[in-house]
Amino acid sequence: MEERVIHTILLAVTISFLGMIIGTIIGVMMKKTSNRLLSNTLCFGSGFMVILVFTDLIPEALEWNVMGTLTISLVSIFILFLLDYYFSGNTNNHKKVAIFIAAGIMLHNFPEGLIMGIGFMANDALGIKMAVMIGLHEVPEAMTLTAPMMAAKMKKRNIILSSLATFIPSVVGIFIGVIFSSISKEFMGSALALASGVMAYVVFLEMLPEASKLYKGKDSYIYLILGAVLASIVVILL
C-alpha cells in the first residue's frame, strides 16, 4: 500500500507539474509583451477558466453541498473585493492582476490536487484522467499568470518562482487526497466552492477588464472563444 501511495503522488505531481512548467516557459520566452499579446493571452486564459468553473468546479461543489457552495463562493468574492480595494492603492495594475490570478490559481490547485489524489486511490484510470485534464489546463493558466508579470517588468527568475509557488497547494492537495482518501463530502465541497468563487472573481472582475484596457481589438474575442472551445474539448474528452 505504501509503495502505491508513493507512485500515486509522484505520477499525479509529474503530470500536472509538466503543464505548469510548459506554460511558464512559453510565457517567459515571449520577448515582446505588447498590449495586444497580453490582452489575447488573458482572454484565452479567461475563456479556458470560465468553462472549467461553470462545467467542472461549480457542478462538483453543488453535488456535495448546495447552500454551502453558494455561501462560501459569495464570501470568497466579498473577501476578494476587500483585497482588491487594498491592492488598488498599493501596487500597479499589472502586478495587482498577477497577484489575483496567482491567488486564484493557488486556491484552484488545492481542490484539484485533492481530486487527483482521491481519484488515483479510487481508480487509477480516473486519477490519470483527472491528472491529464489538470495538466493540460495548467498550460494556459501559467501563461495567463506570466503575462501581467511580464507587463509589470518583473524579473524572469521571480516570475518562474511565483509560478512554481502556485503549484504548492496542488501538491499539498494530492498528499491530503491520498492519505485521507475517505475525506468528508462537506470538506471537498467547501474547497471546490472556495475555488469557484475565487476563479469567477478573477476572470470576470480582473482578467477580462484588464484585457479590455490593454487592447480594444476584436481578435481578443476570438482568443476568448478559442480558450472556451479548448476547455470544452478537454472536459468532453476527459
Side-chain angles (χ1 to χ4, degrees):
M1 181 64 178
E2 289 184 2
E3 186 177 348
R4 183 180 176 229
V5 168
I6 294 173
H7 289 163
T8 295
I9 293 172
L10 289 176
L11 184 59
V13 169
T14 301
I15 293 174
S16 52
F17 184 73
L18 281 174
M20 187 269 293
I21 285 294
I22 291 171
T24 302
I25 291 174
I26 293 173
V28 298
M29 285 181 66
M30 292 180 179
K31 294 182 179 179
K32 266 188 135 180
T33 55
S34 66
N35 285 351
R36 181 176 181 176
L37 176 61
L38 292 171
S39 176
N40 290 340
T41 302
L42 286 169
C43 284
F44 180 84
S46 297
F48 200 99
M49 289 180 188
V50 76
I51 292 297
L52 291 176
V53 168
F54 288 102
T55 66
D56 187 9
L57 285 178
I58 291 179
E60 287 285 343
L62 289 173
E63 280 186 17
W64 284 314
N65 194 329
V66 176
M67 289 306 297
T69 296
L70 296 174
T71 301
I72 294 174
S73 296
L74 290 174
V75 169
S76 66
I77 290 173
F78 176 71
I79 292 173
L80 286 176
F81 267 118
L82 296 179
L83 290 174
D84 193 6
Y85 175 79
Y86 171 77
F87 283 119
S88 62
N90 288 276
T91 185
N92 69 64
N93 202 45
H94 290 307
K95 191 172 289 187
K96 185 188 74 171
V97 171
I99 290 171
F100 273 98
I101 293 174
I105 291 174
M106 290 178 80
L107 287 171
H108 181 50
N109 282 348
F110 177 69
E112 283 183 348
L114 283 173
I115 292 170
M116 280 192 288
I118 294 172
F120 269 111
M121 295 308 292
N123 185 306
D124 286 343
L126 175 62
I128 291 174
K129 173 185 172 182
M130 292 304 304
V132 170
M133 183 182 77
I134 290 167
L136 285 173
H137 91 260
E138 286 284 354
V139 176
E141 275 190 0
M143 290 176 64
T144 302
L145 175 61
T146 60
M149 290 184 178
M150 294 290 286
K153 302 189 183 301
M154 290 177 61
K155 293 181 179 179
K156 290 185 177 181
R157 180 186 63 184
N158 293 336
I159 293 174
I160 293 172
L161 289 175
S162 298
S163 186
L164 289 173
T166 65
F167 191 72
I168 294 174
S170 183
V171 177
V172 174
I174 291 170
F175 269 92
I176 293 176
V178 169
I179 296 171
F180 302 102
S181 56
S182 60
I183 197 166
S184 71
K185 292 182 178 181
E186 288 74 17
F187 181 85
M188 178 66 79
S190 298
L192 289 169
L194 180 63
S196 300
V198 170
M199 293 309 294
Y201 182 95
V202 168
V203 169
F204 291 109
L205 296 177
E206 291 296 334
M207 291 172 65
L208 290 177
E210 178 68 4
S212 179
K213 289 178 185 176
L214 287 169
Y215 180 66
K216 301 292 184 181
K218 293 182 179 180
D219 52 337
S220 295
Y221 296 107
I222 297 175
Y223 281 90
L224 179 66
I225 294 171
L226 285 175
V229 170
L230 178 59
S232 299
I233 293 172
V234 170
V235 170
I236 292 170
L237 293 180
L238 299 176

